[in-house]
Amino acid sequence: MESAKFADQNGFSAVWIPERHFHAFGGLYPNPSVVNAALAMATEKVQLRAGSVVLPLHHPVRIAEEWAVVDNLSNGRVAIAFASGWTMDEFILSRDLHTHRKQTMWRGVKALQQLWKGEGVEYADASGRAVEAKILPKPIQPELPIWITCQSPETFIEAGKMGANVLTSLLGGTLEEVAPKIKLYRQYLEKSGHDPDSKKVTLMIHTFLGEETETVKEKVRQPFCNYLKTHYDLLENLAKGMGLDVSLKNFSEDDLDSLLLFGVEGFMKGRSLIGTPETCVPFIAKLEEIGINEVACLIDFVQDFDTVMESLPYLQKLHQVC
């Protein structure tokens, strides 16, 4: 709540709230529409975004209804990034198979766009009878701003074809690996009749800034290690980056601590905004060079309230410089 108020009062463009299930980090956010309904009443200008709604876990009508409420509460400030889902566990919430999640997402996005515009979409009731659904309340915005959460080249291409914005990250790769995907996205925007310059490529990136680089690193090292421990895929990337071609399932707790102690700083380098406003400017320039035109700063991997709030003025300084 307080970080959202800070963003609202200091010229930031948006606040992102994720959808997370069964995970130590992100447990605050089982439903981004609920959190954003609260933020709508505590802010006035900042856009309230979902980053992301896992569309296959929900009925499109339910998503459209909930977010239409938030759009009214916020006077037209909502936007949604849609994702197809990640772990098998979270699909206990879905009526569709995990293997069909991509197709389910694309169908759902199309239905949501229609519902948001006031159009009817047919669904079958429990008896199989076709029912035309329309949503209430009517949203304030005539069109829902949409992002697609992308990692694979195919998803970047499909996002370009439909003219959606893109939300991506460096969690599983590097700038060099994401650059050609962004190029593909821009190409398919143009091929499909969309203005490439009007769309956003938003990069999610872990962020913590302060007055002096070494002090910042000391503050975030242990919280970042704790964060990585809960993300098996990120730990594997860290191990590979250190030249270790082994299964981390065989690592003891002490082994993992040693791996993190020696590797976390290298993992953060080139994949995070951790340092001072001045030291982060060159990295922002690199992001711009490959076509990223918006940064979503992940600040909740450091879980101490005072520490995070004390860092935000330095983020504001970087925002002003860039």
Side-chain angles (χ1 to χ4, degrees):
M1 188 71 76
E2 294 306 315
S3 59
K5 289 177 184 177
F6 183 91
D8 193 54
Q9 294 161 8
N10 288 280
F12 287 83
S13 57
V15 173
W16 293 91
I17 301 296
E19 177 180 350
R20 293 286 182 268
H21 302 285
F22 321 129
H23 204 284
F25 277 85
L28 285 173
Y29 311 112
N31 187 336
S33 69
V34 173
V35 178
N36 273 318
L39 297 184
M41 310 311 294
T43 57
E44 296 178 354
K45 296 170 287 187
V46 72
Q47 194 174 42
L48 304 173
R49 299 180 187 168
S52 309
V53 168
V54 184
L55 206 155
L57 306 186
H58 313 281
H59 196 290
V61 173
R62 192 62 173 153
I63 296 172
E65 287 178 336
E66 290 183 0
W67 284 92
V69 170
V70 183
D71 205 48
N72 277 272
L73 290 174
S74 65
N75 195 29
R77 290 188 282 129
V78 306
I80 306 180
F82 292 109
S84 60
W86 294 277
T87 68
M88 290 284 287
D89 289 355
E90 65 191 12
F91 272 72
I92 63 168
L93 302 171
S94 177
R95 295 184 301 175
D96 296 300
L97 296 174
H98 183 265
T99 52
H100 298 162
R101 64 193 185 278
K102 287 285 187 183
Q103 302 95 305
T104 303
M105 181 185 74
W106 296 122
R107 285 197 307 270
V109 170
K110 184 178 178 181
L112 270 155
Q113 289 174 312
Q114 292 174 263
L115 290 162
W116 195 269
K117 293 175 182 177
E119 299 172 11
V121 179
E122 281 197 355
Y123 291 96
D125 70 8
S127 68
R129 181 176 60 96
V131 177
E132 185 183 61
K134 292 185 178 181
I135 65 164
L136 289 171
K138 293 181 179 179
I140 300 294
Q141 297 178 97
E143 189 169 331
L144 176 65
I146 285 176
W147 275 250
I148 301 296
T149 303
C150 297
Q151 290 295 337
S152 69
E154 294 77 16
T155 313
F156 275 89
I157 288 170
E158 290 301 318
K161 287 179 180 178
M162 73 180 298
N165 302 299
V166 161
L167 179 64
T168 191
S169 71
L170 298 178
L171 297 182
T174 63
L175 275 184
E176 291 72 26
E177 290 168 332
V178 79
K181 299 174 187 176
I182 294 172
K183 189 174 180 180
L184 267 178
Y185 165 69
R186 299 286 186 195
Q187 288 172 351
Y188 275 87
L189 279 172
E190 192 165 9
K191 284 181 182 179
S192 304
H194 307 291
D195 178 8
D197 295 330
S198 69
K199 302 300 177 181
K200 288 187 172 68
V201 175
T202 305
L203 179 72
M204 295 182 286
I205 192 162
H206 294 90
T207 301
F208 191 91
L209 302 179
E211 185 70 32
E212 197 273 324
T213 300
E214 289 307 313
T215 304
V216 168
K217 288 180 180 178
E218 282 302 312
K219 285 183 177 180
V220 304
R221 186 173 284 111
Q222 192 58 53
F224 203 76
C225 287
N226 295 340
Y227 172 82
L228 286 174
K229 274 187 180 181
T230 70
H231 288 74
Y232 183 77
D233 290 343
L234 297 187
L235 271 176
E236 283 206 324
N237 285 332
L238 174 61
K240 288 175 183 175
M242 295 172 67
L244 301 175
D245 188 17
V246 294
S247 172
L248 296 183
K249 293 177 181 177
N250 300 324
F251 272 40
S252 68
E253 194 71 17
D254 288 342
D255 290 336
L256 285 177
D257 287 338
S258 297
L259 171 69
L260 288 163
L261 181 65
F262 288 106
V264 71
E265 187 163 330
F267 186 86
M268 289 189 294
K269 188 177 181 180
R271 290 181 180 175
S272 67
L273 291 173
I274 293 175
T276 70
E278 294 76 17
T279 61
C280 288
V281 168
F283 187 60
I284 294 290
K286 288 181 181 178
L287 301 184
E288 289 182 313
E289 285 175 12
I290 66 166
I292 292 165
N293 52 9
E294 188 176 67
V295 174
C297 298
L298 301 174
I299 62 172
D300 58 352
F301 68 99
V302 177
Q303 299 206 321
D304 180 78
F305 174 81
D306 291 333
T307 301
V308 172
M309 294 307 297
E310 288 167 5
S311 76
L312 294 185
Y314 296 97
L315 181 57
Q316 168 63 4
K317 185 177 178 180
L318 178 63
H319 181 212
Q320 290 171 335
V321 170
C322 295

